Each structure stands twice: as structure tokens, then as C-alpha cells.
């Protein structure tokens, strides 16, 4: 993504010359924010008269990769990322590192601040002027810490193991399990579903080492992967340190960070030249793995074993105490570490009392066990905007796992946001355990969740389900409240630091007059000793449309592909008039006069999608309107397609359509689409493609629309077009 403005603004860059900038954008899930930040930085650079090339490190891999020549010729580099980005290639260049959100919210500020950012691999350099110090490199939306990035890296790799393992176990129990006389559920040995269950157990077994290994990898690179994974396996295997329970995911986080930083430290040790080639593949992994493993077994493992033993004894002394208090304590313990020593202590304590005919303790545990995955899954449905698409998908899987008493379904959420999720889990678990204890709910088998009640193992079924529902609701609402509070704190901190950073740039900028700074492209600066941004609404404005981009690479190459398809009109060698003036060429012919309406009759989302589907059916490309509507609404249930700035792009991949079709409609009053910025949707596109064309074609159309709709002038002209023909002429500019 390179911009080369023909006429740079006169006051852009040093001495009136535009800068040559590079940028890298990346977010943990590699979907929307990666591409939104890239688009915003590109727009801001164009407006300020600079050249920029942006490398996106998205879920489909790195695109528009920066070459050695790009780096050699660049004046500075902006890294807007919430995951680890290799900076070694930028040695000797000014590098500004911030979170990916800053690339979306304040791209103009970042471009100005990078001029005085420290040189990577060298000494920090101040501003060019005489007015004061340089702007801090990480102020105003500071870069995510190494620890945060490492944790997110581990969580992202762990999630598939949790989902695959949990769902395979749940499905095998549901289909292949046979109820027993005591209410238990057993899968016969040697059966097909027993093998499916075993595969799921392997997935769960690998979950903890993978979390540990990829945390270590993010810190210490490839040499840290082996010690991280083996350390995670040791942490999860209590038998290695005389404990009946492993340390679970909390232990994996500990071993991951220990392995990563241990490898980093070993790398700094000076060794003879002939040993260096084998350091990363032999010496470092062996030394780090051995040291970490022994350290965990002899040092960390013993306290875990002690905790397990003494917690069991402590609980044994509470059997005669208040059932409500005991239930609350067991719920807290079950929810704390989901498979760790505290959880296992409570579970095994309850399971052990079944043989003594005291089944009420296991009833308390059984009510608390599903609360965490159910609560976290509900939270993703209650406040979808707080979660990424990957988190929402994990939430749906967690809901399913919760029904089968698989508490590990909540681990990805607890690992990603421990400060918010673990307290919410514990509160919900305590409430569920206390409610079950109050009513004397019993459980005859060592398992929990609604599945045991359905199979007849639970006594007091109505109260059991009530306890589970109340506990899950408490967890969900508490999680949402804590996450929203954390987001507000982040937003407030970002705003304050952005103001501070802007002041710093003014002081240490170009240096005019009496120490007053100048903000590039922002107009005149006045004052004595402080820079004032007089052009806050100037070139480039603030944020325009915060639109998600499906594929930057496809968006950039689409120009060439469209030009190849569009024949030039008579007297129009470039084909521009043909593209803009003929409805059959809009979006490769997928949007035509028949699929455009100037005014939606619908006033809510579902009705609007149905109305657009009927519009698409007029083309003869829709075999089943009801199915098209169903699929589009199912996509909305996964996450809103309202992009903000009064735009919505619902889409469906289904064989209910026989060929790609795009519809467009306007809404005068706007429709509540659940957009992130809260604006009602007034410009609505519906994209429908067959399953066979769901890959490239679907993303290509989204990319084309996203590129053009970030232009506020284009949106205004589209909104003001008098009739269908005028709308088509405006939309014909998309190519």
C-alpha cells in the first residue's frame, strides 16, 4: 500500500518535502483492526503529503511486505500493533510503536510524532528544533507491553485446542454415552465414540502446553518454543511433583513467561564463535528445558502439592458447617483455576464424598462447574462489541461445552482477561454453589453441568437449573461490567496521553520562533514555549469512516483486474465514463439498476434484509429468498455488519443464490444496525454469493466497497443522489 501524491502540501515534512514512511499494523486476531489501521494511516499520509507503505500482518499472513529497499529509503517507521512485530529489520531508523487502536484513532498524530521518535538500535534523538524535548515514542496510546502480546499470542494458539477438544468430548458423550443405573454416563471401551472422546482428551491435554509454548515463543522466539511447551506439560502433570492436580492454565502462563525470559537471558551469554551456530537449535533449548523443568518440579511444584493437600483437609473440616457457606466456597474454588489445584481440590472433595452417601457436596460442585463457560458465552452475546469475532465464536463453543459440564471452555477468556474474567467466574460460581447448597441439591456422579441433570443423576433438578442460570447470569453481567470499565479506563488514559503527546510534539517539533513547535499540516502555531495545533480539523480531518477491510492485497490488485474486464467506451480510451455511466459495470456487473432502490420501506434490520433479498430476487439469481434471509441474519447473529459512519454491509454465502449479486438501498431515518459508533445505517449494501464463490469473490467485493466508502465526500454524494440512475453513476466510481 504505497501512496505517492503528485502535489505534496507545501508545509508537509522537513523543508516542505514529504517523508517516506513505512508502517506495520497487526492485531491479535488479525481481522478488522489490522486493516482499519492500515487504511487510516494511508489516508492521513496522503492528506499530509507523505509517501507511505503499510505492511499488514493479518490472519491470512503478512501482505504488502516491506522490502530491504523500502527500509533503506524510509525516513521513519510506525508500528501500530497489539502483537509482537520483528523490529530488527528497522535498525537505524526512527521507530514509533503504539497499539493498533492508535493507528485508527490518531493517524495524523502518529505521523507527526514519528519524526522525533527514537532511533531503533541507536540513541534516542530529539526534535529538530530548539524548542524543547522530543515527543515520547510511546505516549498517547502506548504500545502494548511484551507481556500482553505474549499472553495474547499463547491464547490465540490455544483456542483451537480448547474448542476442538471440548466439542469432541461433548459430542461423544451426547451421542455415544450410555446412561447407567446411578445416573452416570459411560462410553463403552473400543467403540467409535470412545475413540472420538479420546481424540478430544488429547486436544485438551495439548491445550495447556500450547498456551505455555507460544507465550514463550512470543518472548524468546523459536528457541523458547520447546522449553515453553515441555514446561507447560510439566505444569499440567501433577504426578511429576507429587500433587493430585496439575497447575492448569495458570501454571502454563507461569512456565511460558519463565521459559521466554530464561531463553532471552541465555541468548545474551557470550559464547565462543564456533558454538554460536548450534546455540538456537541445541544448546538453548536443552539448557532452558532442563532448568525450567527441574525448577518447576522442585521449587514451584511443592507449594502446589502443599496447597492441594491442605485445602482438602480444610474442606474436610467444613462438612458440618452452613451449607450455604460451604456451597459458596466450593463454587469459588471450582471457578478459580478451572482444572488447577484449587479447582481439583473442590472437585475431588465432592467426588470423594459420593461413596459416603453425602451427595450434596457434589451437587454444589456440579452446579458451579458449568457456570464459567456458560457465563462467558452469554457475555459475548450480551455485549458483542466488546469481543472480537474470534472471541464470539469461542463464546458459542463455550456455551455448548458448558451444557456438558466442561468448565475449560472458559479458559481462553480467563487467560486473555484474567483481571476481569476470573473474579466474575468466581462470583458466579459462588452464587451457584450457595443456591444449590441452600436447597440440598445432590449429584450421584463425579461430573457437573446440565447433562448430569438430564441423565437423572441430580436430585432437586429445578433448583439445580435455577442455580446454574443465576450463576451464569451473574458471571456474564459481572464480566461485561468489568470489561466495559477496563475499556473506559483505557479510553480515558489514551485521551489524556494523546493530549500530552500532542503538547510534546508541539514543543519538540520543527522549532520556530521562541521555542514554539509546529505541527505538520496543521496550520499556524502560536505561543511561547508550547505548540498549539491550530488545524485540528484541517488536512485529513480526524477519523473518517472506521470501516473494516476484508483484504488489503485484493483491494490493491482489484484496480488492474477491473480495468481488464471493463472495455473502453467510444471516445473514452480509459474506460472511466463507461465504468461510471453504465449500471452493468458497477461492481463487475453484480450491482445493477434492478438491485438499487432509493428508499427502504423497512425500519428495522430484519425487515431491511428481507426487503433487499426480494430486490435481489428480481434479478433471477435467487433460488430461495427465505434461505438467503436466514443466512444473512445468521451472519448478523455472529456480529453486526454495521460498520459505523451510517453504513451497513450485510452479506451471505449460500447456494440460495446462483450467482453473485449486490443490492443497495438508502434509509432516510436510518436503521439501528448495532454499529460500533452507534450511528443508524442509512447506506445499506447486501452482498450475496454462492458457496463456490464465497472465498475470493466475497472478500473482493467487501474490499472494493470498503476502499471507497471511507471517503466522506463519496458517501455524501451517494446520500444526495437524486434517483437510481444518479446512484448508479456514483457507485460506478468503485473500481
Amino acid at each position: 500500500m504505497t501512496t505517492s501524491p503528485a502535489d505534496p502540501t507545501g508545509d508537509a515534512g522537513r523543508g516542505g518535502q514529504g517523508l517516506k514512511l513505512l508502517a506495520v499494523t497487526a492485531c491479535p486476531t488479525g481481522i478488522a483492526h489490522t486493516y482499519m489501521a492500515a487504511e487510516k494511516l494511508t489516508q492521513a499520509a496522503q492528506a499530509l503529503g507523505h509517501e507511505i507503505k503499510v505492511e499488514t500482518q493479518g490472519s491470512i499472513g503478512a501482505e504488502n511486505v516491506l522490502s530491504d529497499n523500502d527500509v533503506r529509503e524510509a525516513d521513519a517507521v510506525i508500528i501500530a500493533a497489539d502483537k509482537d512485530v520483528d523490529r530488527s529489520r528497522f535498525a537505524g531508523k526512527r521507530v514509533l510503536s503504539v497499539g493498533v487502536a492508535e493507528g485508527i484513532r490518531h493517524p495524523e498524530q502518529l505521523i507527526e510524532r514519528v519524526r522525533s521518535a527514537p532511533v531503533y538500535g541507536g540513541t534516542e534523538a530529539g526534535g529538530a528544533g530548539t524548542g524543547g524535548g522530543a515527543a515520547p515514542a510511546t505516549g498517547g496510546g502506548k504500545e502494548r507491553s511484551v507481556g500482553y502480546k505474549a499472553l495474547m499470542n499463547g491464547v490465540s494458539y490455544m483456542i483451537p485446542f480448547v474448542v476442538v477438544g471440548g466439542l469432541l468430548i461433548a459430542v461423544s458423550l451426547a451421542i455415544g454415552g450410555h446412561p447407567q443405573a446411578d445416573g452416570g454416563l459411560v462410553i463403552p471401551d473400543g467403540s467409535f465414540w470412545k475413540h472420538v472422546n479420546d481424540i478430544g482428551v488429547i486436544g485438551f491435554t495439548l491445550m495447556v502446553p500450547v498456551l505455555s509454548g507460544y507465550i514463550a515463543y512470543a518472548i524468546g522466539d523459536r528457541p523458547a518454543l520447546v522449553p515453553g511447551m515441555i514446561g507447560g506439560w510439566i505444569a499440567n502433570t501433577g504426578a511429576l511433583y507429587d500433587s493430585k492436580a496439575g497447575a492448569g492454565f495458570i501454571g502454563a502462563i507461569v512456565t511460558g513467561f519463565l521459559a521466554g525470559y530464561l531463553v532471552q537471558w541465555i541468548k545474551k551469554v557470550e559464547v565462543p564463535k564456533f558454538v554460536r551456530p548450534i546455540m538456537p537449535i541445541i544448546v538453548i533449548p536443552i539448557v532452558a528445558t532442563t532448568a525450567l523443568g527441574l525448577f518447576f518440579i522442585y521449587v514451584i511444584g511443592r507449594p502446589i502439592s502443599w496447597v492441594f493437600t491442605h485445602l482438602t483437609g480444610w474442606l474436610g473440616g467444613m462438612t458440618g458447617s452452613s451449607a450455604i457457606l460451604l456451597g459458596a466456597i466450593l463454587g469459588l474454588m471450582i471457578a478459580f483455576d478451572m482444572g488447577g489445584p484449587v479447582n481439583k481440590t473442590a472437585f475431588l472433595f465432592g467426588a470423594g464424598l459420593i461413596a459416603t452417601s453425602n451427595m450434596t457436596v457434589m451437587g454444589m460442585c456440579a452446579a458451579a462447574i458449568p457456570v464459567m463457560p456458560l457465563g462467558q458465552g452469554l457475555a459475548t452475546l450480551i455485549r458483542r462489541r466488546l469481543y472480537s469475532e474470534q472471541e464470539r465464536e469461542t463464546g458459542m463453543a463455550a456455551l455448548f461445552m458448558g451444557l456438558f459440564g466442561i468448565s475449560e471452555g472458559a479458559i481462553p477468556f480467563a487467560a486473555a482477561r484474567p483481571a476481569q474474567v476470573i473474579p466474575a467466574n468466581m462470583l458466579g460460581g459462588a452464587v451457584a454453589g450457595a443456591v444449590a447448597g441452600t436447597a440440598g441439591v445432590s449429584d450421584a456422579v463425579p461430573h457437573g453441568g446440565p447433562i448430569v441433570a438430564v441423565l437423572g443423576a441430580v436430585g432437586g433438578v429445578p433448583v439445580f437449573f435455577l442455580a446454574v442460570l443465576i450463576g451464569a447470569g451473574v458471571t456474564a453481567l459481572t464480566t461485561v461490567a468489568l470489561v466495559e470499565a477496563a475499556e473506559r479506563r483505557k479510553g480515558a488514559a489514551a485521551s489524556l496521553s494523546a493530549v500530552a503527546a500532542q503538547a510534546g510534539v508541539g514543543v519538540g517539533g520543527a522549532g520556530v520562533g521562541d521555542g514554539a513547535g509546529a505541527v505538520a499540516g496543521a496550520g499556524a502555531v502560536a505561543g511561547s514555549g508550547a505548540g498549539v495545533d491550530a488545524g485540528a480539523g484541517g488536512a485529513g480531518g480526524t477519523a473518517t469512516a472506521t470501516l473494516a477491510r476484508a483484504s488489503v492485497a485484493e483491494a490493491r490488485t482489484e484496480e488492474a483486474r477491473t480495468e481488464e474486464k471493463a472495455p473502453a467506451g467510444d471516445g473514452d480510451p480509459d474506460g472511466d465514463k463507461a465504468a461510471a455511466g453504465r449500471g452493468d459495470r458497477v461492481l463487475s456487473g453484480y450491482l445493477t439498476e434492478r438491485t438499487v432502490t432509493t428508499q427502504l420501506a423497512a425500519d428495522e434490520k430484519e425487515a431491511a434484509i428481507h426487503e433487499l433479498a426480494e430486490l435481489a430476487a428480481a434479478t433471477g439469481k435467487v433460488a430461495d429468498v427465505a434461505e438467503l434471509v436466514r443466512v444473512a441474519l445468521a451472519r448478523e447473529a455472529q456480529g453486526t455488519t454495521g460498520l459505523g459512519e451510517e453504513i451497513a454491509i450485510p452479506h451471505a454465502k449460500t447456494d440460495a443464490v446462483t450467482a453473485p449479486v449486490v443490492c443497495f438501498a438508502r434509509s432516510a431515518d436510518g436503521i439501528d444496525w448495532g454499529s460500533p459508533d452507534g450511528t443508524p445505517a442509512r447506506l445499506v449494501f447486501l452482498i450475496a454469493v454462492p458457496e463456490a464463490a464465497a472465498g475470493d469473490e466475497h472478500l473482493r467485493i467487501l474490499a472494493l466497497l470498503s476502499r471507497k466508502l471511507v471517503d466522506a465526500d463519496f458517501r455524501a454524494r451517494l446520500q444526495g443522489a437524486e434517483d437510481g440512475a444518479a446512484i448508479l453513476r456514483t457507485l460506478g466510481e468503485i473500481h
Side-chain angles (χ1 to χ4, degrees):
M1 180 185 302
T2 307
T3 68
S4 302
D7 299 305
T9 54
D11 57 353
R14 297 178 180 87
Q17 299 298 316
L19 300 174
K20 289 186 177 180
L21 302 174
L22 301 180
V24 180
T25 61
C27 60
T29 55
I31 307 176
H33 289 84
T34 298
Y35 301 111
M36 292 163 65
E39 188 66 42
K40 291 297 182 182
L41 286 167
T42 300
Q43 290 177 340
Q46 281 182 318
L48 296 173
H50 305 305
E51 295 181 27
I52 191 169
K53 180 175 180 180
V54 185
E55 175 181 305
T56 54
Q57 296 187 3
S59 58
I60 59 175
E63 299 173 277
N64 207 36
V65 176
L66 306 177
S67 68
D68 291 342
N69 286 338
D70 293 329
V71 176
R72 189 180 306 114
E73 296 171 3
D75 294 311
V77 182
I78 298 171
I79 298 176
D82 284 347
K83 59 183 285 190
D84 189 49
V85 173
D86 179 19
R87 305 184 201 179
S88 60
R89 51 184 166 158
F90 305 134
K93 299 293 179 180
R94 293 186 181 274
V95 178
L96 175 67
S97 294
V98 296
V100 69
E102 285 302 297
I104 300 170
R105 296 171 184 162
H106 307 295
E108 295 90 352
Q109 292 180 14
L110 298 185
I111 290 172
E112 176 57 31
R113 288 168 51 204
V114 76
R115 295 150 65 89
S116 54
V119 174
Y120 180 74
T123 57
E124 289 194 7
T130 60
T138 56
K142 64 182 180 181
E143 179 190 13
R144 294 287 194 178
S145 67
V146 172
Y148 174 85
K149 293 178 183 178
L151 185 60
M152 290 300 100
N153 194 58
V155 170
S156 66
Y157 280 100
M158 176 188 67
I159 285 174
F161 290 86
V162 176
V163 173
V164 171
L167 294 184
L168 286 179
I169 291 172
V171 169
S172 64
L173 285 170
I175 301 176
H178 295 283
Q180 302 299 298
D182 61 0
L185 191 65
V186 174
I187 303 175
D189 288 335
S191 68
F192 172 80
W193 291 109
K194 176 61 175 175
H195 292 148
V196 172
N197 184 270
D198 291 341
I199 294 171
V201 170
I202 291 172
F204 258 15
T205 304
L206 291 172
M207 167 186 70
V208 172
V210 166
L211 172 62
S212 176
Y214 281 97
I215 289 173
Y217 178 81
I219 298 170
D221 211 346
R222 192 172 300 172
L225 185 59
V226 170
M229 284 198 169
I230 294 178
W233 189 284
I234 292 171
N236 203 38
T237 309
L240 293 172
Y241 41 91
D242 299 323
S243 174
K244 292 183 179 179
F249 83 96
I250 294 178
I253 292 173
V254 172
T255 56
F257 281 106
L258 286 176
Y261 286 113
L262 177 60
V263 167
Q264 272 197 339
W265 177 78
I266 296 174
K267 284 180 179 179
K268 296 177 182 178
V269 176
E270 291 292 334
V271 297
K273 189 174 183 180
F274 73 90
V275 179
R276 290 175 190 169
I278 64 171
M279 285 290 289
I281 59 173
I282 298 178
V283 177
I284 293 177
I286 289 177
V287 172
T289 300
T290 305
L292 176 63
L294 294 174
F295 179 76
F296 200 97
I297 290 172
Y298 288 106
V299 179
I300 300 178
R302 293 188 182 279
I304 293 173
S305 179
W306 182 90
V307 166
F308 182 89
T309 301
H310 285 77
L311 277 177
T312 303
W314 177 64
L315 284 175
M318 293 188 63
T319 52
S321 63
S322 167
I324 297 177
L325 177 60
L326 180 60
I329 292 173
L330 288 171
L332 285 170
M333 294 173 66
I334 288 287
F336 174 65
D337 52 3
M338 291 164 285
V342 177
N343 169 281
K344 278 292 189 291
T345 297
F347 177 80
L348 294 177
F349 177 70
L353 290 177
I354 293 176
T356 68
S357 299
N358 184 356
M359 301 179 189
T360 56
V361 175
M362 190 63 217
M364 302 171 195
C365 297
I369 284 171
V371 161
M372 297 79 74
L374 292 176
Q376 295 307 320
L378 284 174
T380 65
L381 297 177
I382 293 172
R383 287 289 187 274
R384 302 182 67 85
R385 64 180 179 79
L386 295 176
Y387 298 90
S388 68
E389 185 171 353
Q390 184 185 42
E391 287 175 319
R392 290 194 292 268
E393 291 172 356
T394 305
M396 296 301 293
L399 284 170
F400 189 72
M401 284 185 259
L403 297 176
F404 289 85
I406 302 172
S407 60
E408 287 86 347
I411 286 179
F413 300 97
R417 296 184 173 99
Q420 292 80 40
V421 171
I422 292 178
N425 283 347
M426 293 174 67
L427 182 58
V431 170
V435 172
T438 302
V441 170
S442 63
D443 182 11
V445 295
H447 197 75
I451 183 67
V452 294
V454 171
L455 293 171
V458 169
V461 172
V463 180
F464 173 81
F465 277 107
L466 180 65
V468 171
L469 288 173
I470 294 175
V474 168
T475 289
L477 294 175
T478 305
T479 299
V480 167
L482 292 176
V483 171
E484 284 188 327
E487 292 298 320
R488 283 196 296 270
R489 285 195 299 270
K490 286 181 186 175
S495 299
L496 289 172
S497 49
V499 172
Q502 199 169 28
V505 169
V507 173
V512 285
D514 208 10
V519 179
V525 179
S528 172
V532 181
D533 184 354
T542 55
T544 54
T546 55
L547 301 178
R549 293 196 54 183
S551 169
V552 171
E554 285 186 329
R556 289 297 168 192
T557 58
E558 182 51 29
E559 291 183 14
R561 285 198 282 181
T562 304
E563 288 170 4
E564 289 175 5
K565 292 181 180 179
D570 293 338
D572 181 20
D574 295 326
D576 292 338
K577 293 178 182 177
R582 285 167 36 198
D584 61 349
R585 296 309 310 157
V586 178
L587 288 174
S588 302
Y590 301 143
L591 191 148
T592 67
E593 189 175 355
R594 285 180 295 180
T595 60
V596 170
T597 182
T598 57
Q599 182 59 47
L600 277 170
D603 58 1
E604 56 91 23
K605 183 193 295 189
E606 183 173 349
I609 289 176
H610 196 283
E611 188 174 340
L612 287 167
E614 294 286 357
L615 195 64
T619 65
K621 298 178 181 179
V622 180
D624 188 339
V625 172
E627 177 63 10
L628 172 57
V629 172
R630 186 195 70 77
V631 174
L633 291 175
R635 171 60 187 85
E636 293 294 331
Q638 295 174 7
T640 180
T641 57
L643 302 180
E645 300 288 356
E646 302 184 336
I647 298 164
I649 310 181
H651 44 276
K653 299 176 286 186
T654 173
D655 287 331
V657 295
T658 57
V661 59
V662 180
C663 302
F664 169 72
R666 298 184 304 199
S667 172
D669 297 327
I671 299 170
D672 181 7
W673 219 278
S675 301
D677 63 357
T679 58
R682 301 180 189 275
L683 304 175
V684 184
F685 292 85
L686 171 68
I687 302 172
V689 298
E691 286 286 353
D696 292 346
E697 200 63 9
H698 181 226
L699 295 177
R700 187 181 71 81
I701 297 169
L702 274 172
L704 284 171
L705 286 173
S706 297
R707 280 184 61 202
K708 197 63 179 175
L709 289 170
V710 296
D711 183 351
D713 177 66
F714 176 79
R715 297 197 306 274
R717 287 187 287 110
L718 191 57
Q719 191 72 264
E722 296 178 358
D723 52 27
I727 290 174
L728 277 177
R729 284 195 297 272
T730 305
L731 291 173
E733 299 174 20
I734 302 177
H735 56 81

